[in-house]
Amino acid sequence: QKMALETRAIDTIIHRFKSREKNPPNLYFENGMLWADTDSEQDAEIIKQGLESVIINTCRVKVSKIQPTKQQPWSQYSFEVTAPEGI
């Protein structure tokens, strides 16, 4: 079962892609981190902005690109919501 934040984040991101007449990449949450099957920096920026729009403004989104491997021959981006120092 998805948490409300996960559902709202994915719905918001998909809406942002559709408003740009683009197909969204495969998006899913695993262990609290959002993953996207894409190698596009532009897609990653749309996803980051969508995720930032649904979290509280004191948190940040850390974006990492995972390069293809033999076991997983495609690129992915991960998006981790982080809290400021001291929280």
Side-chain angles (χ1 to χ4, degrees):
Q1 182 174 351
K2 288 185 192 176
M3 293 180 11
L5 175 65
E6 294 173 355
T7 300
R8 184 168 177 215
I10 289 176
D11 288 349
T12 298
I13 292 163
I14 289 171
H15 180 271
R16 285 175 178 251
F17 274 90
K18 289 183 177 182
S19 71
R20 291 167 174 80
E21 298 183 358
K22 292 185 65 156
N23 289 325
N26 181 43
L27 302 164
Y28 61 95
F29 276 90
E30 187 173 291
N31 299 321
M33 190 174 301
L34 177 61
W35 294 85
D37 295 335
T38 184
D39 61 359
S40 166
E41 287 182 37
Q42 183 181 24
D43 286 359
E45 185 60 29
I46 293 168
I47 295 164
K48 179 182 179 196
Q49 290 173 1
L51 186 54
E52 287 176 335
S53 75
V54 299
I55 61 173
I56 59 172
N57 62 3
T58 57
C59 292
R60 298 290 176 255
V61 176
K62 179 182 175 189
V63 180
S64 301
K65 185 173 184 180
I66 292 76
Q67 299 296 336
T69 65
K70 287 183 181 181
Q71 293 83 12
Q72 183 177 306
W74 62 88
S75 296
Q76 283 186 312
Y77 277 88
S78 65
F79 303 83
E80 179 181 8
V81 177
T82 61
E85 296 279 329
I87 292 183

